[in-house]
Amino acid sequence: FEKEGESAGGRCRDVAIVTRSPESYRGALEMALQSEGIPYYVDAKESIRGDALTETVCAALQVVRFSFQTEDILRLLKTGLVGLSVEETARLENYAYLWRLRGSAWKEPFTADPNGLKAPEDEKGKERSAKELARLNELRERAIAPLLRLKAALTGNVTGETFAKAVFTYLLDVG
């Protein structure tokens, strides 16, 4: 292809491959072009929602706009860009579903036993529960404190500049 194209005065950038269903051919086409050493560029539409950073910003704004709903908070935590590990996020999620946390419950320290209604009766079990509850509150604070600052920054007369600074500061807080 290259030799014939070059000898005829053509260049790779002058060639386009157009198809109605690019995903059907993409893998095979890319493999064939790579194996022949033909440079290429694939122009494909990609959803902006697939980007973790965009998802983090959208989810954080959703949390502060809709009063800290559990589903929004968990969506934000699951982006992986807010400073909590997968295990830490899972622990918060389990607690949230166990006690059916809603809105303002995220803004206050957790007080219910992490074991649910099966609270341990022995001293060692109570001590483990207290430690787990303290750990959950640390995680809650790490997740919620930056959101509270974001909400405060977006209260009142918000200009484009104020909005941009608030979002940027939030990302620095969690990053």
Side-chain angles (χ1 to χ4, degrees):
F1 171 81
E2 281 188 56
K3 292 176 187 170
E4 291 173 17
E6 286 176 11
S7 64
R11 297 174 298 199
C12 288
R13 70 178 184 193
D14 296 332
V15 176
I17 301 172
V18 181
T19 176
R20 287 187 184 176
S21 56
E23 289 308 311
S24 301
Y25 302 100
R26 186 171 182 170
L29 186 57
E30 286 181 3
M31 190 181 313
L33 293 170
Q34 285 174 357
S35 70
E36 294 297 321
I38 300 171
Y40 66 94
Y41 167 77
V42 178
D43 183 20
K45 290 183 182 179
E46 294 183 24
S47 171
I48 194 166
R49 298 288 273 198
D51 177 62
L53 180 59
T54 303
E55 186 65 21
T56 299
V57 171
C58 290
L61 293 171
Q62 183 101 3
V63 169
V64 299
R65 181 172 182 225
F66 293 108
S67 303
F68 292 75
Q69 295 304 308
T70 295
E71 294 77 21
D72 298 332
I73 291 170
L74 294 176
R75 178 176 143 224
L76 172 64
L77 298 180
K78 290 178 181 181
T79 65
L81 297 181
V82 294
L84 296 179
S85 70
V86 172
E87 182 212 343
E88 292 168 331
T89 297
R91 289 164 78 178
L92 279 173
E93 181 177 27
N94 289 340
Y95 187 87
Y97 285 138
L98 176 66
W99 291 108
R100 296 186 177 137
L101 298 182
R102 299 284 182 258
S104 62
W106 285 94
K107 298 177 190 177
E108 303 295 327
F110 298 153
T111 57
D113 192 297
N115 295 304
L117 299 176
K118 300 179 200 171
E121 296 177 13
D122 65 321
E123 287 305 311
K124 281 189 176 183
K126 288 180 182 180
E127 188 177 310
R128 277 194 307 272
S129 287
K131 283 183 180 179
E132 177 62 13
L133 185 60
R135 180 70 176 131
L136 286 165
N137 274 307
E138 289 172 21
L139 298 175
R140 179 197 59 78
E141 181 66 23
R142 281 177 39 205
I144 299 303
L147 289 165
L148 291 172
R149 289 190 291 274
L150 176 63
K151 184 171 181 70
L154 295 176
T155 302
N157 187 17
V158 178
T159 64
E161 182 180 355
T162 308
F163 180 85
K165 284 181 180 178
V167 170
F168 184 73
T169 301
Y170 172 76
L171 291 172
L172 291 176
D173 278 353
V174 297

